[in-house]
Amino acid sequence: AAAEAAARERALASTRATLAAAVYFEYDSDELSGDARSTLDAKLPILRANAGLRLRIAGNTDERGSDEYNLALGQRRAASVKRYLSDQGIDSGRMDIISYGEERPVVTESSEEGWRMNRRAEFEITAGGDALVAPR
């Protein structure tokens, strides 16, 4: 019984990590790369297995560009992710989008690598996380 419980906990931890995995964008772009699509495709079985799950998709940018431009770019990035998931059959009403522009960097170093890590869309569970099940 303890081994089964531990296996369930590992499966749920993996499920949460897959849901939380960010997708990354090229400079000044809201287009999804092949890697971004793969990351999103991994979320699909989880979203399908958890009809009550709701997500907030947050678009982020690097520090280059004006605040206004970066907020708009972050919004386009989040909308691009939402559109992709909804095109794969996920109800768009289960996803909210927001842009933080350059306000929430994960890396504060001004370098190509730092900027690359900050050009992303992040995912937060806003409802249904307490009843999360791993897909079969």
Side-chain angles (χ1 to χ4, degrees):
E4 279 183 30
R8 264 195 311 278
E9 282 305 311
R10 282 193 303 277
L12 278 177
S14 173
T15 298
R16 286 186 186 282
T18 299
L19 276 176
V23 296
Y24 296 93
F25 294 86
E26 293 300 317
Y27 175 69
D28 197 29
S29 175
D30 61 9
E31 290 187 30
L32 295 171
S33 67
D35 285 347
R37 283 188 183 86
S38 293
T39 300
L40 294 173
D41 288 344
K43 298 175 191 304
L44 292 171
I46 299 166
L47 292 167
R48 291 180 181 129
N50 292 275
L53 195 63
R54 289 185 55 96
L55 294 177
R56 178 177 301 122
I57 303 165
N60 297 272
T61 67
D62 64 35
E63 66 197 45
R64 298 172 291 176
S66 70
D67 291 349
E68 296 81 13
Y69 182 83
N70 284 337
L71 282 170
L73 179 57
Q75 189 75 11
R76 290 194 312 272
R77 287 175 174 168
S80 176
V81 167
K82 180 178 179 176
R83 187 170 40 256
Y84 181 83
L85 291 172
S86 113
D87 286 350
Q88 307 310 310
I90 304 304
D91 178 6
S92 65
R94 295 173 55 195
M95 299 173 279
D96 299 314
I97 61 173
I98 190 167
S99 173
Y100 293 117
E102 63 190 73
E103 297 170 21
R104 295 186 174 187
V106 291
V107 177
T108 55
E109 176 186 326
S110 291
S111 67
E112 284 302 324
E113 178 63 15
W115 293 328
R116 187 183 68 73
M117 297 301 293
N118 289 331
R119 296 189 303 260
R120 70 200 186 283
E122 294 178 312
F123 301 84
E124 178 187 352
I125 296 171
T126 57
D130 51 345
L132 189 66
V133 296
R136 294 183 184 262

